[in-house]
C-alpha cells in the first residue's frame, strides 16, 4: 500500500476494481460474525449454523429488494462478478446458440463467450460502441438470427464510466424473444436498478465495488422463467439431498454450490440493507448521490489541464449519465508511467492499462492499445482528495512541459 498523504489521508482511486473503505456497519457485522459465529450456511442444525443460514437468507432477500426482484429465491450469492457472469451465461447458453454483445464489455463476458465459440460452437456477434463507450441497440437489429438466444450488455463502461440506456436493449430483446443479461458490476450501489421494471432476465454483478461488500463477493439474479433448465457451472455439495450422486442441484443452490464465503455473505446482507434503509448517507436531499457533484468538479478540473484528454467525454462534459469513473490520457506519456509517478511521488492509487476490457480501446481512438489512466472514486472520496489529485497531475504535466 502507498504511504498515505498526511493531510488528506489515503487517496484510493481504484474503486472500480474494488471499493475501499467498506462501511463501518459492514466491518462491524463481519467482525462480529467471524468472532462469534464463524459457522457455514445449510450444513447443520446447531445454533451458529442456523444463524449463518439466516445471514444467507438476509443477503438474498436484501439484494432482491435492492434490485426490485419479487423473490429472495431469485438471487444466488457468487464469489465475484466474474463468477456471476460465467454462471449466468453457462446457465442458459447451449452449443449452436448465437449471442450478441458489445465491444464495451469486460473480459469476464468476452472471454467465456469467445472460448465457448472456439470450443462448443457458440456464435458471437459484437456491436461496436461509440467514442463514449456505449453501444446502440439499433446497431444490433441486423445481427439477430434464427438461433440468437441472448443479448449480454454492460450497464456502464468500466473504462469511460458512461451508463448504457437499458430500455432500447430490453425492447429489442423482448421483441425478438431473446434473453437480456445485464452486467451491473460497475453500477450496483451507484445507480438504482429494477430488474422487473427494466425487464432484465439475468443480472450479474460484483458485490465489492459500488455496493461495498467484501472483495470476493458477487451475485446473480435469474428470472423464474430462466431458472428452468439452468445448467450449473459447478456441481458438488449443498448440504441437501446428500444421498444423491446424480441429478442437478436446484436453483439457487446450483450456483451456491460448496461452502460460501460467509464473511462475504454477511457483508452483502449489510451493504444491501444500508443502501435500502439509509440512502441519505449516500445522497443529498434531492436524492442525488454525493459522488455526482464531486465527479462533476473532478471532470471540469481535469478538462482545464493542458495536454490531458478525458477519454470518452465530449463537451459539455456533463456527468448525468456517468458512474464515478474517469479515464485520461496525456500527450507524450505512457499511462503506466503517469500512474507510477502519482503513486510513488504523491501517494495516489490509480490504475493504468486496459482495465480487463479488451475490445473497447480501439473504439475510444486508442490506436496503440495502451489503455488509459483510470481514476475511480468511491462513495466517500473527499473533495480534498480530488483537488489534490488534480493538482498532482497538473504539476507532473507542467514539469514535463518545462
Ligand atoms: C464491468 C465489469 N464486469 C465484471 C467485472 C468482474 O468483477 P470481479 O472483479 O468481481 O470478478 C468487473 C471488474 O472489474 C467489471 O468492471
Amino acid at each position: 500500500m502507498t504511504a498515505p498523504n498526511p493531510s488528506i489521508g489515503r487517496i484510493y482511486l481504484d474503486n472500480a476494481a474494488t471499493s475501499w473503505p467498506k462501511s463501518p456497519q459492514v466491518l462491524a457485522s463481519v467482525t462480529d460474525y467471524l468472532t462469534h459465529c464463524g459457522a457455514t450456511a445449510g450444513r447443520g442444525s446447531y445454533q451458529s449454523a442456523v444463524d449463518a443460514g439466516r445471514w444467507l437468507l438476509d443477503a438474498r432477500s436484501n439484494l432482491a429488494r435492492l434490485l426490485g426482484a419479487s423473490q429472495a429465491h431469485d438471487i444466488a450469492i457468487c464469489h465475484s462478478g466474474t463468477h456471476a457472469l460465467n454462471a449466468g451465461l453457462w446457465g442458459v447458453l447451449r452449443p449452436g446458440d448465437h449471442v450478441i454483445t458489445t465491444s464495451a464489455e469486460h473480459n469476464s463476458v468476452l472471454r467465456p463467450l469467445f472460448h465457448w465459440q472456439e470450443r462448443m460452437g457458440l456464435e458471437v456477434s459484437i456491436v461496436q460502441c461509440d467514442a463514449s463507450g456505449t453501444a446502440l441497440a439499433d446497431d444490433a437489429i441486423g445481427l439477430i438470427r434464427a438461433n440468437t438466444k441472448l443479448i449480454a450488455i454492460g450497464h456502464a463502461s468500466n473504462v469511460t464510466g458512461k451508463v448504457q440506456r437499458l430500455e432500447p436493449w430490453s425492447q429489442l430483446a423482448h421483441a425478438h424473444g431473446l434473453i437480456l443479461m445485464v452486467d451491473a458490476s460497475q453500477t450496483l450501489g451507484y445507480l438504482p436498478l429494477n430488474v422487473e421494471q427494466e425487464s432484465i432476465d439475468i443480472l450479474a454483478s460484483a458485490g465489492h465495488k459500488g455496493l461495498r461488500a467484501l472483495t470476493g463477493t458477487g451475485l446473480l439474479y435469474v428470472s423464474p422463467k430462466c431458472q428452468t433448465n439452468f445448467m450449473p457451472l459447478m456441481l458438488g455439495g449443498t448440504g441437501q439431498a446428500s444421498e444423491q450422486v446424480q441429478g442437478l442441484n436446484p436453483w439457487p443452490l446450483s450456483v451456491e454450490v460448496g461452502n460460501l464465503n460467509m464473511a462475504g455473505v454477511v457483508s452483502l446482507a449489510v451493504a444491501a440493507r444500508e443502501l435500502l434503509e439509509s440512502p441519505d448517507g449516500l445522497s443529498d436531499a434531492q436524492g442525488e448521490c454525493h459522488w455526482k457533484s464531486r465527479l462533476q468538479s473532478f471532470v471540469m478540473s481535469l478538462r482545464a489541464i493542458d495536454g490531458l484528454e478525458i477519454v470518452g467525454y465530449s463537451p459539455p462534459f456533463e456527468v448525468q449519465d456517468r458512474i464515478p469513473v474517469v479515464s485520461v490520457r496525456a500527450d507524450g506519456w505512457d499511462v503506466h508511467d503517469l500512474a507510477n509517478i502519482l503513486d510513488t511521488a504523491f501517494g495516489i492509487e490509480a490504475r493504468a492499462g486496459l482495465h480487463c476490457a479488451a475490445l473497447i480501446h480501439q473504439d475510444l481512438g486508442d490506436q496503440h492499445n495502451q489503455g488509459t489512466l483510470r481514476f475511480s472514486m468511491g462513495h466517500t472520496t473527499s473533495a480534498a482528495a480530488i483537488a489534490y489529485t488534480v493538482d498532482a497531475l497538473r504539476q507532473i504535466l507542467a514539469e514535463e512541459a518545462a
Side-chain angles (χ1 to χ4, degrees), residues 20-354:
W20 184 91
K22 307 304 180 189
S23 81
Q25 290 89 330
V26 164
L27 295 180
S29 301
V30 167
T31 305
D32 185 62
Y33 160 78
L34 290 172
T35 311
H36 301 293
C37 179
T40 192
R43 300 298 193 275
S45 54
Y46 48 92
Q47 189 54 48
S48 55
V50 172
D51 292 345
R54 252 193 224 117
W55 274 118
L56 176 56
L57 293 180
D58 276 0
R60 287 200 204 122
S61 114
N62 294 350
L63 289 167
R65 280 169 59 214
L66 190 65
L67 291 173
S70 53
Q71 320 179 70
H73 180 78
D74 298 340
I75 304 286
I77 304 300
C78 297
H79 304 294
S80 62
T82 302
H83 176 212
L85 285 159
N86 274 260
L89 292 168
W90 186 255
V92 294
L93 293 175
R94 303 288 180 269
D97 285 343
H98 173 237
V99 176
I100 297 174
T101 191
T102 85
S103 61
E105 304 313 311
H106 192 268
N107 285 347
S108 49
V109 171
L110 297 174
R111 285 184 176 166
L113 291 181
F114 281 108
H115 181 69
W116 298 335
Q117 173 169 260
E118 207 181 291
R119 295 296 176 93
M120 68 170 219
L122 193 76
E123 296 172 24
V124 183
S125 297
I126 300 287
V127 179
Q128 297 304 133
C129 63
D130 62 18
S132 76
T134 53
L136 291 179
D138 278 355
D139 291 343
I141 295 172
L143 300 174
I144 295 175
R145 307 172 187 167
N147 60 339
T148 306
K149 174 87 155 280
L150 177 142
I151 293 176
I153 183 100
H155 194 199
S157 161
N158 70 328
V159 178
T160 65
K162 181 83 190 283
V163 177
Q164 179 74 55
R165 276 187 62 227
L166 293 177
E167 198 190 335
W169 288 97
S170 174
Q171 279 171 3
L172 180 70
H174 297 112
H176 292 84
L178 310 179
I179 296 170
L180 179 68
M181 173 165 174
V182 172
D183 175 2
S185 294
Q186 288 296 342
T187 49
L188 191 60
Y190 291 127
L191 299 178
L193 254 173
N194 189 304
V195 287
E196 294 197 351
Q197 277 168 17
E198 316 232 28
S199 299
I200 295 169
D201 300 299
I202 302 181
L203 181 140
S205 179
H208 57 98
K209 300 179 194 276
L211 185 59
R212 296 201 297 168
L214 294 189
T215 307
T217 56
L219 56 124
L220 182 63
Y221 160 82
V222 175
S223 66
K225 177 186 76 178
C226 292
Q227 288 166 21
T228 315
N229 296 326
F230 192 85
M231 189 61 72
L233 194 58
M234 294 191 292
L235 294 164
T238 57
Q240 291 184 14
S242 295
E243 72 288 356
Q244 292 174 15
V245 291
Q246 282 180 326
L248 301 178
N249 301 315
W251 171 270
L253 296 178
S254 50
V255 173
E256 293 172 352
V257 69
N259 278 301
L260 293 174
N261 163 10
M262 281 306 304
V265 168
V266 172
S267 72
L268 282 167
V270 177
R273 190 182 64 213
E274 269 190 274
L275 277 173
L276 285 163
E277 286 177 358
S278 54
D280 300 354
L282 302 173
S283 326
D284 63 21
Q286 284 73 45
E288 193 72 282
C289 289
H290 293 312
W291 57 261
K292 207 141 225 181
S293 57
R294 285 197 289 273
L295 176 65
Q296 185 70 76
S297 75
F298 189 31
V299 168
M300 287 315 189
S301 310
L302 290 174
R303 198 188 159 191
I305 300 179
D306 279 346
L308 198 72
E309 177 198 354
I310 310 181
V311 179
Y313 270 80
S314 54
F317 293 85
E318 279 174 356
V319 301
Q320 215 42 46
D321 51 1
R322 303 279 169 163
I323 52 166
V325 168
V326 191
S327 268
V328 299
R329 285 190 287 253
D331 292 345
W333 279 90
D334 181 316
V335 288
H336 297 88
D337 293 340
L338 266 180
N340 196 30
I341 298 175
L342 285 171
D343 180 24
T344 52
F346 295 90
I348 295 169
E349 297 169 286
R351 177 173 171 193
L354 300 178

